[in-house]
PDB file of all heavy atoms in Angstrom:
ATOM      1  N   ILE A 194     -75.751 -40.882  -3.785  1.00 98.00           N
ATOM      2  CA  ILE A 194     -76.436 -39.996  -2.830  1.00 98.00           C
ATOM      3  C   ILE A 194     -77.924 -39.903  -3.162  1.00 98.00           C
ATOM      4  O   ILE A 194     -78.311 -39.798  -4.322  1.00 98.00           O
ATOM      5  CB  ILE A 194     -75.793 -38.586  -2.829  1.00 98.00           C
ATOM      6  CG1 ILE A 194     -74.365 -38.658  -2.263  1.00 98.00           C
ATOM      7  CG2 ILE A 194     -76.635 -37.592  -2.026  1.00 98.00           C
ATOM      8  CD1 ILE A 194     -73.615 -37.328  -2.262  1.00 98.00           C
ATOM      9  N   SER A 195     -78.762 -39.981  -2.109  1.00 98.00           N
ATOM     10  CA  SER A 195     -80.185 -39.680  -2.262  1.00 98.00           C
ATOM     11  C   SER A 195     -80.525 -38.525  -1.330  1.00 98.00           C
ATOM     12  O   SER A 195     -79.916 -38.362  -0.272  1.00 98.00           O
ATOM     13  CB  SER A 195     -81.032 -40.909  -1.939  1.00 98.00           C
ATOM     14  OG  SER A 195     -80.758 -41.379  -0.636  1.00 98.00           O
ATOM     15  N   LEU A 196     -81.493 -37.703  -1.756  1.00 98.00           N
ATOM     16  CA  LEU A 196     -81.908 -36.547  -0.959  1.00 98.00           C
ATOM     17  C   LEU A 196     -83.103 -36.916  -0.107  1.00 98.00           C
ATOM     18  O   LEU A 196     -83.979 -37.669  -0.546  1.00 98.00           O
ATOM     19  CB  LEU A 196     -82.310 -35.385  -1.874  1.00 98.00           C
ATOM     20  CG  LEU A 196     -81.292 -34.898  -2.894  1.00 98.00           C
ATOM     21  CD1 LEU A 196     -81.919 -33.796  -3.749  1.00 98.00           C
ATOM     22  CD2 LEU A 196     -80.031 -34.402  -2.212  1.00 98.00           C
ATOM     23  N   GLU A 197     -83.150 -36.350   1.095  1.00 98.00           N
ATOM     24  CA  GLU A 197     -84.288 -36.596   1.972  1.00 98.00           C
ATOM     25  C   GLU A 197     -84.455 -35.444   2.945  1.00 98.00           C
ATOM     26  O   GLU A 197     -83.482 -34.754   3.259  1.00 98.00           O
ATOM     27  CB  GLU A 197     -84.062 -37.879   2.757  1.00 98.00           C
ATOM     28  CG  GLU A 197     -82.811 -37.845   3.630  1.00 98.00           C
ATOM     29  CD  GLU A 197     -82.672 -39.081   4.514  1.00 98.00           C
ATOM     30  OE1 GLU A 197     -82.758 -40.198   3.994  1.00 98.00           O
ATOM     31  OE2 GLU A 197     -82.498 -38.895   5.734  1.00 98.00           O
ATOM     32  N   THR A 198     -85.687 -35.248   3.418  1.00 98.00           N
ATOM     33  CA  THR A 198     -85.876 -34.204   4.447  1.00 98.00           C
ATOM     34  C   THR A 198     -86.159 -34.788   5.817  1.00 98.00           C
ATOM     35  O   THR A 198     -85.976 -34.115   6.819  1.00 98.00           O
ATOM     36  CB  THR A 198     -87.045 -33.259   4.098  1.00 98.00           C
ATOM     37  OG1 THR A 198     -88.251 -34.023   4.028  1.00 98.00           O
ATOM     38  CG2 THR A 198     -86.787 -32.519   2.807  1.00 98.00           C
ATOM     39  N   ASP A 199     -86.670 -36.024   5.884  1.00 98.00           N
ATOM     40  CA  ASP A 199     -87.128 -36.614   7.150  1.00 98.00           C
ATOM     41  C   ASP A 199     -88.189 -35.719   7.808  1.00 98.00           C
ATOM     42  O   ASP A 199     -88.325 -35.720   9.041  1.00 98.00           O
ATOM     43  CB  ASP A 199     -85.962 -36.871   8.116  1.00 98.00           C
ATOM     44  CG  ASP A 199     -86.287 -37.942   9.161  1.00 98.00           C
ATOM     45  OD1 ASP A 199     -87.205 -38.750   8.919  1.00 98.00           O
ATOM     46  OD2 ASP A 199     -85.641 -37.964  10.231  1.00 98.00           O
ATOM     47  N   SER A 200     -88.922 -34.939   7.000  1.00 98.00           N
ATOM     48  CA  SER A 200     -89.980 -34.077   7.538  1.00 98.00           C
ATOM     49  C   SER A 200     -90.900 -34.905   8.425  1.00 98.00           C
ATOM     50  O   SER A 200     -91.198 -36.049   8.086  1.00 98.00           O
ATOM     51  CB  SER A 200     -90.822 -33.499   6.384  1.00 98.00           C
ATOM     52  OG  SER A 200     -90.043 -32.647   5.595  1.00 98.00           O
ATOM     53  N   PRO A 201     -91.320 -34.376   9.567  1.00 98.00           N
ATOM     54  CA  PRO A 201     -91.220 -32.980  10.035  1.00 98.00           C
ATOM     55  C   PRO A 201     -89.932 -32.659  10.797  1.00 98.00           C
ATOM     56  O   PRO A 201     -89.803 -31.582  11.350  1.00 98.00           O
ATOM     57  CB  PRO A 201     -92.410 -32.879  10.995  1.00 98.00           C
ATOM     58  CG  PRO A 201     -92.478 -34.239  11.617  1.00 98.00           C
ATOM     59  CD  PRO A 201     -92.099 -35.199  10.508  1.00 98.00           C
ATOM     60  N   TYR A 202     -88.975 -33.595  10.796  1.00 97.00           N
ATOM     61  CA  TYR A 202     -87.757 -33.415  11.598  1.00 97.00           C
ATOM     62  C   TYR A 202     -86.616 -32.816  10.769  1.00 97.00           C
ATOM     63  O   TYR A 202     -86.731 -32.661   9.556  1.00 97.00           O
ATOM     64  CB  TYR A 202     -87.311 -34.769  12.171  1.00 97.00           C
ATOM     65  CG  TYR A 202     -88.432 -35.511  12.843  1.00 97.00           C
ATOM     66  CD1 TYR A 202     -88.985 -36.648  12.258  1.00 97.00           C
ATOM     67  CD2 TYR A 202     -88.977 -35.054  14.041  1.00 97.00           C
ATOM     68  CE1 TYR A 202     -90.047 -37.324  12.857  1.00 97.00           C
ATOM     69  CE2 TYR A 202     -90.034 -35.722  14.640  1.00 97.00           C
ATOM     70  CZ  TYR A 202     -90.562 -36.857  14.046  1.00 97.00           C
ATOM     71  OH  TYR A 202     -91.610 -37.509  14.628  1.00 97.00           O
ATOM     72  N   LEU A 203     -85.489 -32.553  11.456  1.00 97.00           N
ATOM     73  CA  LEU A 203     -84.209 -32.204  10.825  1.00 97.00           C
ATOM     74  C   LEU A 203     -84.281 -31.111   9.762  1.00 97.00           C
ATOM     75  O   LEU A 203     -83.682 -31.211   8.692  1.00 97.00           O
ATOM     76  CB  LEU A 203     -83.589 -33.476  10.214  1.00 97.00           C
ATOM     77  CG  LEU A 203     -83.281 -34.597  11.206  1.00 97.00           C
ATOM     78  CD1 LEU A 203     -82.757 -35.834  10.482  1.00 97.00           C
ATOM     79  CD2 LEU A 203     -82.271 -34.144  12.259  1.00 97.00           C
ATOM     80  N   THR A 204     -85.023 -30.062  10.067  1.00 98.00           N
ATOM     81  CA  THR A 204     -85.185 -28.942   9.144  1.00 98.00           C
ATOM     82  C   THR A 204     -83.839 -28.276   8.860  1.00 98.00           C
ATOM     83  O   THR A 204     -83.087 -27.982   9.786  1.00 98.00           O
ATOM     84  CB  THR A 204     -86.157 -27.914   9.758  1.00 98.00           C
ATOM     85  OG1 THR A 204     -87.299 -28.637  10.225  1.00 98.00           O
ATOM     86  CG2 THR A 204     -86.579 -26.867   8.747  1.00 98.00           C
ATOM     87  N   PRO A 205     -83.543 -28.064   7.552  1.00 98.00           N
ATOM     88  CA  PRO A 205     -82.238 -27.462   7.218  1.00 98.00           C
ATOM     89  C   PRO A 205     -82.145 -25.999   7.641  1.00 98.00           C
ATOM     90  O   PRO A 205     -83.156 -25.328   7.826  1.00 98.00           O
ATOM     91  CB  PRO A 205     -82.167 -27.599   5.696  1.00 98.00           C
ATOM     92  CG  PRO A 205     -83.563 -27.772   5.229  1.00 98.00           C
ATOM     93  CD  PRO A 205     -84.316 -28.418   6.356  1.00 98.00           C
ATOM     94  N   GLU A 206     -80.905 -25.528   7.756  1.00 97.00           N
ATOM     95  CA  GLU A 206     -80.654 -24.089   7.907  1.00 97.00           C
ATOM     96  C   GLU A 206     -81.154 -23.400   6.643  1.00 97.00           C
ATOM     97  O   GLU A 206     -81.046 -23.964   5.565  1.00 97.00           O
ATOM     98  CB  GLU A 206     -79.140 -23.824   8.075  1.00 97.00           C
ATOM     99  CG  GLU A 206     -78.566 -24.352   9.363  1.00 97.00           C
ATOM    100  CD  GLU A 206     -78.963 -23.528  10.595  1.00 97.00           C
ATOM    101  OE1 GLU A 206     -79.784 -22.584  10.459  1.00 97.00           O
ATOM    102  OE2 GLU A 206     -78.468 -23.840  11.672  1.00 97.00           O
TER     103      GLU A 206
END
Side-chain angles (χ1 to χ4, degrees):
I194 293 178
S195 57
L196 304 177
E197 60 174 51
T198 61
D199 203 21
S200 295
Y202 310 108
L203 299 176
T204 312
E206 293 286 5

